[in-house]
Amino acid sequence: MSTAANHPAVFRSPSAVADVEVQSRTAAIPWYIWVGVLAITSSSIGGAWDVSWHRTIGRDTFWTPAHMAIYACGVLAGVICAWLIAKCTFFRDPELSAASVSVFGLRAPLGVFLAGWGCVAMLTSAPFDNWWHNAYGLDVKIVSPPHALLILGLRGISTGVMFLILAAMNRAAHAEGGIYKRLQLLFLYVGGLAVIGQMFFMQEYTWDVKLHQAIAYIAMGIGLPFFFAAFSQASRARWAATTTAAVYTLFVIAEILILPLFPAQPKLGPVFNPVTHMIPAKFPILILVPALALDLLWQRVKNWKPWQIALISGVLFMAVLTAVEWPFANFLLSNASKNRFFGTIYFDYNSRATGYDRMRQWFFPDHGAVLYLGLLRAAVYASISTWLGLLFGRWMRGVQR
């Protein structure tokens, strides 16, 4: 004999059906999360565009479109932070207030305060960077003081938006309508943008002519496993590391294919290499392969202790990365890679004909004990980075505000 307990969908009361319909309609991702994701996307595109601008045109003015795309991130973040703080502190929105924390008498979700700090740091860096260029000329390195402040600000905004998504995702863990899955995908997309930012920060060490130096692998061993482990634990997604690495890979390949379509010429001298189009980034590092290896490993060792997982993960990450990137670097410096897809035909306007890039020669490659000890150090750092990422990611699972 059938009962309502056996067939809840059939015997559901009219009021219960109405509640489900209302929940389905209201189970939408909040607009401020979409704006936050848009802000980080704008900064990622603007950052890639800005590097290309410097390599192609030079720094002709602060008011370049690339700079405006970067600083739009800070403006958009400021808008959502101000709105959420006002709603929670002054207008006492019940739903938002329940998911907020108090800082110096102001209330808002935790991610808002992180993003707000990033917004202030980022917008402060703009006049600082302009003054720096006027006082000292062109940048020699990416990590100048104003750029360091800018990058810290961007990281603050990125982390803040990530926490907004994560809190909504954790609260919606048992919601109907698939909102959890949509938030999970958004979280991994923003995580992929964070990986792009991390690889951007390390590009001075991972330039193609330096990929036979241990320092390139040490830098990636320190900088990447933390992100992969944290995103995997926080999102609970089976393929979190692979997804975030894929976002980075596709973004850089798109840059290589799209930017050279736009004509441009240098406006600064000396010009050693006549440039007629925008110069794209170098081909992406093959981090997609070790990321896939980590995901496969983590699916099989869920019950291990964090230090055990971290130890194996660090060695695996470095072994797979070295196995795929070392021979691929040989390919990148060969004539076979001279095409539009791999992008090794593009060089900066100030790139000399006798430079390592254009001569396709290794920049002081490591050999023997120096190389092997360097790779061993990289594996140790990768294990430590993974362990920290696992701990932080597991803590992030509990974030609901």
Side-chain angles (χ1 to χ4, degrees):
M1 182 175 178
S2 298
T3 64
N6 295 333
H7 300 286
V10 175
F11 293 95
R12 193 173 281 165
S13 67
S15 61
V17 172
D19 289 343
V20 171
E21 290 177 352
V22 170
Q23 183 184 30
S24 177
R25 287 196 301 270
T26 58
I29 297 174
W31 68 268
Y32 53 82
I33 287 181
W34 287 114
V35 173
V37 173
L38 175 63
I40 304 170
T41 303
S42 178
S43 71
S44 298
I45 294 173
W49 192 359
D50 186 48
V51 172
S52 177
W53 195 283
H54 280 261
R55 297 177 63 196
T56 308
I57 299 171
R59 193 182 190 281
D60 53 337
T61 173
F62 175 80
W63 303 101
T64 63
H67 283 173
M68 296 305 99
I70 294 172
Y71 290 106
C73 173
V75 173
L76 291 173
V79 169
I80 63 175
C81 288
W83 187 85
L84 285 169
I85 289 174
K87 289 285 284 186
C88 295
T89 305
F90 305 111
F91 296 99
R92 303 288 183 179
D93 182 281
E95 185 178 351
L96 286 173
S97 295
S100 65
V101 298
S102 178
V103 176
F104 299 120
L106 300 175
R107 294 198 64 86
L110 175 61
V112 168
F113 294 106
L114 294 172
W117 176 88
C119 173
V120 172
M122 186 179 175
L123 296 180
T124 301
S125 74
F128 184 23
D129 186 51
N130 200 40
W131 171 84
W132 187 270
H133 282 283
N134 291 334
Y136 299 107
L138 298 177
D139 293 313
V140 177
K141 291 183 174 293
I142 291 173
V143 192
S144 65
H147 286 179
L149 182 61
L150 171 63
I151 292 170
L152 286 173
L154 289 171
R155 291 288 174 84
I157 293 173
S158 177
T159 304
V161 172
M162 205 173 293
F163 269 69
L164 283 175
I165 298 171
L166 188 65
M169 188 175 77
N170 291 339
R171 294 195 303 270
H174 304 291
E176 297 183 20
I179 187 173
Y180 177 83
K181 284 293 183 183
R182 296 197 299 275
L183 287 166
Q184 188 182 59
L185 288 175
L186 266 186
F187 179 81
L188 293 177
Y189 169 71
V190 174
L193 297 182
V195 171
I196 292 171
Q198 189 73 343
M199 292 302 296
F200 171 83
F201 195 72
M202 296 187 293
Q203 66 179 318
E204 290 179 1
Y205 301 102
T206 58
W207 211 248
D208 53 4
V209 296
K210 295 184 178 181
L211 287 173
H212 278 193
Q213 289 183 331
I215 188 62
Y217 300 88
I218 290 172
M220 288 186 279
I222 294 172
L224 288 176
F226 173 87
F227 284 88
F228 290 150
F231 297 151
S232 177
Q233 291 295 311
S235 70
R236 300 178 177 87
R238 287 169 56 85
W239 306 105
T242 307
T243 303
T244 53
V247 171
Y248 154 76
T249 303
L250 293 174
F251 183 94
V252 179
I253 290 175
E255 184 182 344
I256 294 172
L257 296 177
I258 294 172
L259 282 176
L261 299 177
F262 296 91
Q265 292 181 333
K267 293 185 178 180
L268 284 177
V271 177
F272 297 110
N273 179 40
V275 170
T276 58
H277 48 261
M278 298 296 287
I279 304 299
K282 296 287 187 178
F283 196 81
I285 304 295
L286 302 181
I287 62 172
L288 185 60
V289 183
L292 175 61
L294 288 178
D295 278 335
L296 291 171
L297 172 69
W298 291 337
Q299 291 170 24
R300 289 161 174 76
V301 297
K302 293 180 179 179
N303 296 324
W304 289 19
K305 295 180 179 178
W307 71 265
Q308 294 173 321
I309 298 174
L311 182 61
I312 300 300
S313 298
V315 174
L316 177 66
F317 175 82
M318 197 49 56
V320 175
L321 178 62
T322 306
V324 296
E325 192 62 41
W326 194 275
F328 186 68
N330 284 323
F331 168 76
L332 289 177
L333 264 61
S334 72
N335 291 329
S337 67
K338 289 183 176 180
N339 55 60
R340 283 267 291 115
F341 181 77
F342 293 105
T344 61
I345 55 177
Y346 306 117
F347 302 100
D348 303 8
Y349 75 88
N350 56 4
S351 177
R352 296 175 183 267
T354 55
Y356 288 95
D357 274 1
R358 293 180 64 183
M359 294 291 290
R360 296 179 178 270
Q361 294 178 350
W362 296 115
F363 183 79
F364 298 105
D366 291 335
H367 301 283
V370 173
L371 173 63
Y372 297 128
L373 288 174
L375 293 177
L376 178 61
R377 285 173 57 201
V380 172
Y381 294 146
S383 295
I384 296 172
S385 180
T386 304
W387 178 69
L388 293 173
L390 290 172
L391 296 181
F392 187 60
R394 292 184 181 187
W395 174 82
M396 290 169 73
R397 287 185 178 186
V399 173
Q400 296 199 12
R401 295 188 174 191

